[in-house]
Amino acid sequence: QVQLVESGGGLVQPGGSLRLSCAAAVGINMFNVMGWYRQASGKERELVAAITRGGGTTYADDRKGRFTISSDNAKNTIYLQMNSLKPEDAGVYYCKAGSTFSISSLDHWGQGTQVTVSS
């Protein structure tokens, strides 16, 4: 299992911003896709945003225009800039490294970072 360490979560008011980071213990170019997935209480993990080795990105529809995923190969780190946060964005955000956007048993996961959006 490749070590992925997330950071940057916390409590923010609606309309606020957070920047999540995911640092990998290996070169992130080893993976076809890296992404951020959110899991709300009692719900399944869902794709928020992902980035391919070639720099292509994809977003969940309700995050387009508010969230931006990026990567820094020199630092083996991906980021998720989250703006205009809404209460429904809250949950545990997990970093994933794998072959596709879909969730697979072969994926590598971080431990998650909690995002709370509340006034």
Coordinates of all heavy atoms in Angstrom, one line a residue, residues 58-112:
T58 N -11.3 16.0 -14.1 CA -12.7 15.8 -14.2 C -13.3 16.2 -12.8 O -12.6 16.1 -11.8 CB -13.1 14.4 -14.5 OG1 -14.4 14.3 -14.8 CG2 -12.7 13.4 -13.4
Y59 N -14.5 16.7 -12.8 CA -15.2 17.1 -11.6 C -16.6 16.6 -11.5 O -17.3 16.4 -12.5 CB -15.2 18.7 -11.5 CG -13.9 19.3 -11.5 CD1 -13.2 19.7 -12.7 CD2 -13.3 19.6 -10.3 CE1 -12.0 20.3 -12.7 CE2 -12.0 20.2 -10.3 CZ -11.4 20.6 -11.5 OH -10.2 21.2 -11.4
A60 N -17.0 16.4 -10.2 CA -18.5 16.1 -10.0 C -19.2 17.4 -10.5 O -18.7 18.5 -10.3 CB -18.7 15.9 -8.6
D61 N -20.4 17.2 -11.1 CA -21.1 18.3 -11.7 C -21.3 19.5 -10.7 O -21.2 20.7 -11.0 CB -22.4 17.9 -12.2 CG -22.3 17.1 -13.5 OD1 -21.2 17.1 -14.1 OD2 -23.3 16.3 -13.8
D62 N -21.6 19.2 -9.5 CA -22.0 20.2 -8.5 C -20.7 20.9 -7.9 O -20.8 21.8 -7.1 CB -22.9 19.7 -7.4 CG -22.3 18.5 -6.7 OD1 -21.2 18.0 -7.1 OD2 -22.9 18.1 -5.7
R63 N -19.5 20.5 -8.4 CA -18.3 21.1 -7.9 C -17.6 21.9 -9.0 O -16.7 22.7 -8.7 CB -17.3 20.1 -7.4 CG -17.4 19.8 -5.9 CD -18.5 18.8 -5.7 NE -18.6 18.4 -4.3 CZ -19.3 17.4 -3.8 NH1 -19.9 16.6 -4.7 NH2 -19.3 17.1 -2.6
K64 N -18.1 21.8 -10.2 CA -17.5 22.5 -11.3 C -17.6 24.0 -11.1 O -18.7 24.5 -10.7 CB -18.2 22.1 -12.7 CG -17.9 20.7 -13.1 CD -18.6 20.4 -14.4 CE -18.3 19.0 -14.8 NZ -19.1 18.6 -16.0
G65 N -16.5 24.7 -11.3 CA -16.5 26.1 -11.1 C -16.2 26.6 -9.7 O -15.9 27.8 -9.5
R66 N -16.3 25.6 -8.7 CA -16.0 26.0 -7.4 C -14.7 25.3 -6.9 O -14.0 25.9 -6.0 CB -17.2 25.6 -6.4 CG -18.5 26.2 -6.7 CD -19.5 26.0 -5.6 NE -19.9 24.6 -5.5 CZ -19.7 23.8 -4.4 NH1 -19.3 24.4 -3.3 NH2 -20.1 22.6 -4.4
F67 N -14.5 24.1 -7.4 CA -13.3 23.4 -6.9 C -12.3 23.3 -8.1 O -12.7 23.2 -9.2 CB -13.7 21.9 -6.5 CG -14.5 21.8 -5.3 CD1 -15.1 23.0 -4.6 CD2 -14.7 20.6 -4.7 CE1 -15.8 22.8 -3.5 CE2 -15.5 20.5 -3.5 CZ -16.0 21.6 -2.9
T68 N -11.0 23.2 -7.7 CA -9.9 23.1 -8.6 C -8.9 22.1 -8.1 O -8.4 22.2 -7.0 CB -9.2 24.4 -8.9 OG1 -10.2 25.4 -9.4 CG2 -8.2 24.2 -10.0
I69 N -8.7 21.0 -8.9 CA -7.7 20.0 -8.6 C -6.4 20.3 -9.3 O -6.5 20.8 -10.5 CB -8.2 18.6 -8.9 CG1 -7.2 17.6 -8.3 CG2 -8.4 18.4 -10.3 CD1 -7.8 16.1 -8.3
S70 N -5.3 20.1 -8.7 CA -4.0 20.4 -9.3 C -3.0 19.4 -8.8 O -3.2 18.8 -7.7 CB -3.6 21.8 -9.2 OG -3.4 22.1 -7.8
S71 N -1.8 19.4 -9.4 CA -0.8 18.5 -9.0 C 0.6 19.1 -9.1 O 0.8 20.0 -9.9 CB -0.8 17.2 -9.8 OG -0.5 17.4 -11.1
D72 N 1.5 18.7 -8.2 CA 2.9 19.2 -8.3 C 3.8 18.0 -8.3 O 4.0 17.4 -7.2 CB 3.1 20.1 -7.1 CG 4.5 20.7 -7.1 OD1 5.4 20.1 -7.8 OD2 4.7 21.8 -6.5
N73 N 4.2 17.5 -9.4 CA 5.0 16.3 -9.5 C 6.3 16.4 -8.7 O 6.7 15.4 -8.2 CB 5.3 16.0 -11.0 CG 4.1 15.6 -11.8 OD1 3.1 15.2 -11.2 ND2 4.2 15.7 -13.1
A74 N 6.9 17.6 -8.6 CA 8.1 17.7 -7.9 C 8.0 17.5 -6.4 O 8.9 17.0 -5.7 CB 8.7 19.1 -8.1
K75 N 6.8 17.7 -5.9 CA 6.5 17.5 -4.5 C 5.7 16.3 -4.3 O 5.3 16.0 -3.1 CB 5.7 18.7 -3.9 CG 6.5 20.0 -3.9 CD 5.7 21.2 -3.3 CE 6.6 22.5 -3.3 NZ 5.8 23.6 -2.7
N76 N 5.4 15.5 -5.3 CA 4.5 14.3 -5.2 C 3.2 14.6 -4.5 O 2.8 13.8 -3.6 CB 5.3 13.2 -4.5 CG 6.5 12.7 -5.3 OD1 6.4 12.7 -6.6 ND2 7.6 12.3 -4.7
T77 N 2.6 15.7 -4.8 CA 1.4 16.2 -4.1 C 0.3 16.6 -5.0 O 0.6 17.2 -6.1 CB 1.8 17.3 -3.2 OG1 2.8 16.9 -2.2 CG2 0.6 17.9 -2.4
I78 N -0.9 16.3 -4.7 CA -2.0 16.9 -5.4 C -2.8 17.8 -4.4 O -2.7 17.6 -3.2 CB -3.0 15.8 -6.0 CG1 -3.7 15.0 -4.9 CG2 -2.2 14.9 -7.0 CD1 -4.8 14.2 -5.5
Y79 N -3.5 18.7 -5.0 CA -4.3 19.7 -4.2 C -5.7 19.7 -4.6 O -6.1 19.4 -5.7 CB -3.6 21.1 -4.3 CG -2.2 21.1 -4.0 CD1 -1.2 21.0 -5.0 CD2 -1.7 21.3 -2.7 CE1 0.1 21.0 -4.7 CE2 -0.4 21.3 -2.4 CZ 0.5 21.2 -3.4 OH 1.9 21.2 -3.1
L80 N -6.6 20.2 -3.7 CA -7.9 20.5 -4.0 C -8.3 21.8 -3.4 O -8.4 22.0 -2.2 CB -8.9 19.4 -3.5 CG -10.4 19.6 -3.9 CD1 -10.5 19.4 -5.5 CD2 -11.3 18.6 -3.2
Q81 N -8.4 22.8 -4.3 CA -8.8 24.2 -3.8 C -10.4 24.2 -3.9 O -11.0 24.0 -4.9 CB -8.3 25.2 -4.7 CG -8.7 26.7 -4.4 CD -8.2 27.1 -3.0 OE1 -7.0 26.9 -2.7 NE2 -9.0 27.7 -2.2
M82 N -11.0 24.4 -2.7 CA -12.4 24.4 -2.6 C -12.9 25.8 -2.2 O -12.5 26.3 -1.2 CB -12.9 23.4 -1.6 CG -12.3 22.0 -1.8 SD -13.0 20.8 -0.7 CE -12.3 21.3 0.9
N83 N -13.7 26.4 -3.1 CA -14.2 27.8 -2.9 C -15.7 27.7 -2.8 O -16.3 26.7 -3.2 CB -13.8 28.7 -4.0 CG -12.3 28.9 -4.1 OD1 -11.6 28.8 -3.1 ND2 -11.8 29.1 -5.3
S84 N -16.3 28.7 -2.3 CA -17.8 28.8 -2.2 C -18.3 27.6 -1.6 O -19.3 27.0 -2.1 CB -18.4 29.1 -3.6 OG -17.8 30.3 -4.1
L85 N -17.8 27.2 -0.5 CA -18.2 25.9 0.2 C -19.6 26.0 0.7 O -20.1 27.0 1.2 CB -17.2 25.5 1.3 CG -15.9 24.9 0.8 CD1 -14.9 25.0 1.9 CD2 -16.2 23.5 0.4
K86 N -20.3 24.9 0.6 CA -21.7 24.7 1.0 C -21.8 23.7 2.1 O -20.9 22.8 2.1 CB -22.6 24.3 -0.2 CG -22.5 25.2 -1.4 CD -23.3 24.7 -2.6 CE -23.2 25.5 -3.8 NZ -24.0 25.0 -4.9
P87 N -22.8 23.7 2.9 CA -22.9 22.7 3.9 C -23.0 21.3 3.3 O -22.4 20.3 4.0 CB -24.3 23.0 4.6 CG -24.4 24.5 4.4 CD -23.8 24.8 3.1
E88 N -23.5 21.1 2.1 CA -23.5 19.8 1.5 C -22.2 19.3 1.0 O -22.1 18.2 0.6 CB -24.6 19.7 0.4 CG -24.4 20.8 -0.6 CD -25.3 22.0 -0.4 OE1 -25.4 22.4 0.8 OE2 -25.9 22.6 -1.4
D89 N -21.2 20.1 1.1 CA -19.8 19.7 0.7 C -19.1 19.0 1.9 O -18.0 18.4 1.7 CB -19.0 20.9 0.3 CG -19.4 21.6 -1.0 OD1 -19.8 20.8 -1.9 OD2 -19.4 22.8 -1.1
A90 N -19.7 19.1 3.0 CA -19.1 18.5 4.2 C -18.9 17.0 4.1 O -19.7 16.3 3.5 CB -19.9 18.9 5.5
G91 N -17.9 16.5 4.8 CA -17.7 15.0 4.8 C -16.2 14.8 5.0 O -15.4 15.7 5.3
V92 N -15.8 13.5 4.9 CA -14.4 13.1 5.0 C -13.9 13.0 3.5 O -14.5 12.4 2.7 CB -14.2 11.8 5.7 CG1 -12.8 11.4 5.7 CG2 -14.8 11.9 7.1
Y93 N -12.9 13.8 3.3 CA -12.3 13.8 1.9 C -11.1 12.9 1.9 O -10.1 13.0 2.7 CB -11.9 15.2 1.6 CG -13.1 16.0 1.1 CD1 -14.1 16.4 2.0 CD2 -13.2 16.4 -0.2 CE1 -15.2 17.1 1.6 CE2 -14.3 17.2 -0.6 CZ -15.3 17.5 0.3 OH -16.4 18.2 -0.1
Y94 N -11.1 11.9 1.0 CA -10.0 11.0 0.8 C -9.3 11.2 -0.5 O -9.9 11.5 -1.5 CB -10.6 9.5 0.8 CG -11.2 9.1 2.1 CD1 -12.6 9.3 2.3 CD2 -10.5 8.5 3.1 CE1 -13.2 8.9 3.5 CE2 -11.1 8.0 4.3 CZ -12.4 8.3 4.5 OH -13.0 7.8 5.6
C95 N -8.0 11.0 -0.4 CA -7.1 11.1 -1.6 C -7.0 9.6 -2.1 O -6.8 8.7 -1.3 CB -5.8 11.6 -1.2 SG -4.5 11.6 -2.5
K96 N -7.1 9.5 -3.4 CA -7.0 8.1 -4.0 C -5.9 8.2 -5.1 O -5.9 9.1 -5.9 CB -8.3 7.7 -4.6 CG -8.3 6.3 -5.3 CD -9.6 5.9 -5.8 CE -9.9 6.3 -7.2 NZ -9.1 5.5 -8.2
A97 N -5.2 7.1 -5.2 CA -4.2 6.9 -6.3 C -4.6 5.6 -7.0 O -4.7 4.6 -6.3 CB -2.8 6.9 -5.8
G98 N -4.7 5.6 -8.3 CA -5.1 4.4 -9.0 C -5.0 4.5 -10.5 O -4.3 5.4 -11.0
S99 N -5.7 3.6 -11.1 CA -5.7 3.5 -12.6 C -6.8 4.2 -13.3 O -6.6 4.7 -14.4 CB -5.7 2.0 -13.0 OG -4.6 1.3 -12.5
T100 N -7.9 4.3 -12.6 CA -9.1 4.9 -13.3 C -9.8 5.9 -12.3 O -9.5 5.9 -11.1 CB -10.1 3.9 -13.7 OG1 -10.7 3.3 -12.6 CG2 -9.4 2.8 -14.6
F101 N -10.8 6.5 -12.8 CA -11.6 7.4 -11.9 C -12.5 6.6 -11.0 O -12.9 7.0 -9.9 CB -12.5 8.3 -12.8 CG -11.8 9.3 -13.6 CD1 -12.1 9.3 -15.0 CD2 -10.8 10.1 -13.1 CE1 -11.4 10.2 -15.8 CE2 -10.1 11.0 -14.0 CZ -10.4 11.0 -15.3
S102 N -12.9 5.4 -11.4 CA -13.7 4.5 -10.6 C -13.0 4.0 -9.4 O -11.8 3.9 -9.4 CB -14.3 3.4 -11.5 OG -15.0 3.9 -12.6
I103 N -13.7 3.5 -8.5 CA -13.1 3.0 -7.3 C -12.9 1.5 -7.5 O -13.7 0.8 -8.0 CB -14.1 3.2 -6.0 CG1 -14.1 4.7 -5.7 CG2 -13.6 2.4 -4.8 CD1 -15.1 5.0 -4.6
S104 N -11.7 1.1 -7.2 CA -11.2 -0.3 -7.4 C -10.6 -0.9 -6.2 O -10.0 -0.1 -5.4 CB -10.3 -0.3 -8.6 OG -9.5 -1.5 -8.6
S105 N -10.6 -2.2 -6.0 CA -9.9 -2.8 -4.9 C -8.4 -2.6 -5.0 O -7.7 -2.8 -4.0 CB -10.2 -4.3 -4.9 OG -9.8 -4.9 -6.0
L106 N -7.9 -2.2 -6.1 CA -6.4 -2.0 -6.3 C -6.0 -0.6 -6.0 O -4.8 -0.3 -6.1 CB -6.0 -2.3 -7.8 CG -6.3 -3.8 -8.2 CD1 -6.0 -3.9 -9.7 CD2 -5.6 -4.8 -7.4
D107 N -6.9 0.3 -5.6 CA -6.6 1.7 -5.4 C -5.8 1.8 -4.0 O -5.9 1.0 -3.1 CB -7.9 2.5 -5.3 CG -8.6 2.6 -6.6 OD1 -7.9 2.6 -7.6 OD2 -9.8 2.8 -6.6
H108 N -5.1 2.9 -4.0 CA -4.4 3.3 -2.7 C -5.2 4.5 -2.2 O -5.5 5.4 -2.9 CB -3.0 3.7 -3.0 CG -2.2 2.6 -3.7 ND1 -1.6 1.6 -3.0 CD2 -1.9 2.4 -5.0 CE1 -1.0 0.8 -3.8 NE2 -1.2 1.2 -5.1
W109 N -5.4 4.5 -0.8 CA -6.1 5.6 -0.2 C -5.4 6.2 1.0 O -4.6 5.5 1.6 CB -7.4 5.0 0.4 CG -8.4 4.5 -0.6 CD1 -8.5 3.2 -1.1 CD2 -9.4 5.3 -1.3 NE1 -9.5 3.2 -2.1 CE2 -10.1 4.4 -2.2 CE3 -9.8 6.6 -1.2 CZ2 -11.1 4.9 -3.0 CZ3 -10.8 7.1 -2.1 CH2 -11.5 6.2 -2.9
G110 N -5.6 7.5 1.2 CA -5.2 8.1 2.4 C -6.1 7.9 3.5 O -7.1 7.2 3.4
Q111 N -5.8 8.5 4.7 CA -6.6 8.2 5.9 C -7.8 9.1 5.9 O -8.7 8.9 6.8 CB -5.7 8.4 7.1 CG -5.5 9.9 7.5 CD -4.6 10.7 6.6 OE1 -4.0 10.1 5.7 NE2 -4.5 12.0 6.9
G112 N -7.9 10.2 5.1 CA -9.0 11.1 5.1 C -8.8 12.3 5.9 O -8.1 12.3 6.9

